[in-house]
Amino acid sequence: MHEGFDPLASLFKKYELIYVVGEERDLVGVRTNFRDEDVYVYRLRVPAESARKLLQVYLERINQLADRPEFYHLLSNSCTINIVRYANLAGRTGDFDLRVRAGDEPLNLRLACRCTPVCDPARKPVRFHGQPFERSTPMSLHRPYRLALVVAALCVAGCARSTPPESPAPEAATGPAVASAPAGPAAATPTPDTAATLVAYQWQLTSATNATGQSIAAFFPAADQPLGVEFGDGRLGVTGSCNRISAGYQLLDSTQLQLGQAISTMMACPPPLADADAAFARFLTGTLQVAVEGEAGAPQLRLAAADGSTLTFGGTPTPETRFGGPGMRAFLEVSTKPCVAPAPSTPPCLMVRDRHFDENGIASGAPGEWRPLPEGIEGYTPRAGEQQVVRVKRFEQAAAAGGEPTVHFVLDLIIETRTAQ
């Protein structure tokens, strides 16, 4: 937890070995834009299949560490030594350069790179220092290569923060209230089955107040980006946040919700979003008072912390609730080509085709034929110039007698994005 690094201590089981996985905008951007550090990006010269194999090695290694944690060791189990070790598993041939064991991490990275066949010796690394790093920054790197390199470079010794970086505690809003809120928590009669109600609805934050009833502005970073929570499989997750934040939960009774240790991704976020992440992380601790009120079709959820702060949410049925059961998982590729629907629709009409992936997440089989999807994908908004592969939940809704069932797609996750040529 915010511990420093001591090379000598690392020889005696002081630090756990962890991996931080992300995309270059986050992992490089946090260093150039927020830490004002020098960052060197090495160009690669490997075929896509080899880069994919290296990435798969890293993912398997991460899963191993999740099942069997290990300690970092400066001389035998360090970030840069493992770069060479994993490159060997991905097909590298050649000798091991003992200089990789040097204590200077930047030197280690350069030497490790030279010891592997992936770096292009004819191209100098690109140096970034204290400058904005965006996707538009020219690097001449294909996406699979960048991803493999970024994962490789970000092995970290030490404990990961389980919550977003601390931000100053938000002050109670002194100006106009961000969202209307009751003066204080009123007595409520919980619904007969609180546990089932929590899971059956998606909860959007409508008000956040402190112990004196004043609105807490940090929970409302942007008018067009409402935050919320969702419950499922024993975990509470925050929706609409910059980082992914979740915690295990257990209902002690119909009025008390006990939370486990919160976990979060560690992306660099602009101040309003970072403040919202930090505010939620601070709130989601210990035991909360929970109350579900209102009509079954439009319930309200109220969570109250020990310090008197209260969050109130409005509920809308989840797709599983609306369609009467779990959907089937499917993958669709969304084209940038225009799609003309027979009639105006919301969401917009999309051109899509089916995609297939094996159990390891590797694309398999031939893509399907392009077809219009007039009703679009619920929760998905296409981006101009970007072709994406999305994971969706597919629901079938029974039609009237003699009619065909209707199919409804709900966005689950964007798994691939590339710029259309």
Side-chain angles (χ1 to χ4, degrees):
M1 304 298 184
H2 305 288
E3 59 189 352
F5 177 73
D6 183 341
L8 182 60
S10 75
L11 301 176
F12 300 97
K13 298 184 178 181
K14 171 67 174 177
Y15 307 109
E16 295 87 355
L17 183 68
I18 69 170
Y19 283 85
V20 176
V21 182
E23 58 183 15
E24 67 277 3
R25 180 186 61 184
D26 301 317
L27 302 180
V28 177
V30 72
R31 289 158 174 77
T32 59
N33 296 14
F34 291 86
R35 299 180 185 171
D36 195 28
E37 296 175 350
D38 286 337
V39 174
Y40 293 85
V41 178
Y42 290 83
R43 292 176 171 82
L44 307 184
R45 55 168 187 175
V46 295
E49 185 58 37
S50 296
R52 188 177 295 110
K53 175 61 177 175
L54 181 59
L55 176 59
Q56 186 173 350
V57 168
Y58 270 93
L59 297 179
E60 292 172 351
R61 180 72 170 122
I62 290 169
N63 287 334
Q64 290 175 0
L65 289 176
D67 295 333
R68 297 182 299 278
E70 297 177 12
F71 285 102
Y72 176 97
H73 193 284
L74 180 65
L75 300 180
S76 63
N77 199 18
S78 70
C79 308
T80 49
I81 289 174
N82 286 341
I83 292 177
V84 180
R85 182 174 291 138
Y86 302 157
N88 289 342
L89 294 175
R92 169 190 174 268
T93 58
D95 297 329
F96 182 81
D97 192 323
L98 291 178
R99 292 177 296 170
V100 172
R101 298 186 186 273
D104 183 339
E105 186 169 350
L107 174 62
N108 275 5
L109 288 172
R110 291 195 294 272
L111 291 176
C113 193
R114 292 170 187 167
C115 288
T116 65
V118 299
C119 298
D120 188 346
R123 304 291 297 276
K124 292 183 178 181
V126 177
R127 175 177 179 268
F128 299 93
H129 175 80
Q131 56 180 295
F133 182 91
E134 304 295 343
R135 286 188 180 278
S136 58
T137 304
M139 293 192 299
S140 300
L141 293 171
H142 295 296
R143 185 174 185 81
Y145 304 175
R146 291 204 302 270
L147 185 56
L149 178 61
V150 170
V151 173
L154 287 197
C155 163
V156 180
C159 295
R161 287 191 292 261
S162 59
T163 56
E166 287 295 327
S167 297
E171 298 290 338
T174 56
V178 178
S180 60
T189 302
T191 56
D193 193 347
T194 301
T197 304
L198 292 179
V199 175
Y201 290 84
Q202 297 169 326
W203 304 96
Q204 182 174 314
L205 183 65
T206 57
S207 74
T209 59
N210 61 17
T212 62
Q214 293 179 299
S215 178
I216 305 176
F219 283 99
F220 301 91
D224 60 346
Q225 189 165 350
L227 303 182
V229 293
E230 60 184 4
F231 298 82
D233 298 324
R235 297 199 67 81
L236 179 157
V238 179
T239 60
S241 55
C242 180
N243 281 281
R244 293 186 179 184
I245 305 171
S246 68
Y249 77 91
Q250 180 181 2
L251 274 172
L252 302 181
D253 54 43
S254 62
T255 62
Q256 294 189 87
L257 183 75
Q258 183 176 350
L259 297 172
Q261 178 69 49
I263 61 174
S264 170
T265 56
M266 299 173 64
M267 295 191 296
C269 306
L273 297 178
D275 292 343
D277 286 358
F280 248 115
R282 284 192 295 268
F283 183 84
L284 297 177
T285 57
T287 300
L288 304 178
Q289 297 299 310
V290 57
V292 179
E293 310 165 297
E295 301 296 330
Q300 282 195 331
L301 168 67
R302 189 173 67 248
L303 299 177
D307 64 0
S309 57
T310 301
L311 303 186
T312 303
F313 305 83
T316 56
T318 65
E320 288 78 6
T321 300
R322 286 187 282 131
F323 294 102
M328 293 180 57
R329 176 176 291 183
F331 297 89
L332 296 175
E333 183 173 1
V334 183
S335 174
T336 57
K337 297 179 180 179
C339 170
V340 179
S345 61
T346 303
C349 175
L350 301 172
M351 288 296 294
V352 302
R353 63 178 177 180
D354 294 308
R355 292 290 302 272
H356 307 281
F357 296 85
D358 63 21
E359 60 183 10
N360 295 317
I362 305 300
S364 62
E369 297 293 328
W370 290 105
R371 69 181 190 277
L373 193 64
E375 65 277 11
I377 300 172
E378 181 181 331
Y380 175 75
T381 301
R383 298 178 181 176
E386 290 187 352
Q387 190 156 320
Q388 297 179 320
V389 177
V390 297
R391 190 175 73 194
V392 296
K393 296 178 181 178
R394 183 181 185 274
F395 297 91
E396 284 195 5
Q397 194 169 24
E404 292 290 332
T406 58
V407 177
H408 191 84
F409 293 98
V410 178
L411 177 67
D412 187 20
L413 185 69
I414 298 175
I415 65 170
E416 182 180 307
T417 299
R418 62 177 179 271
T419 303
Q421 302 295 327

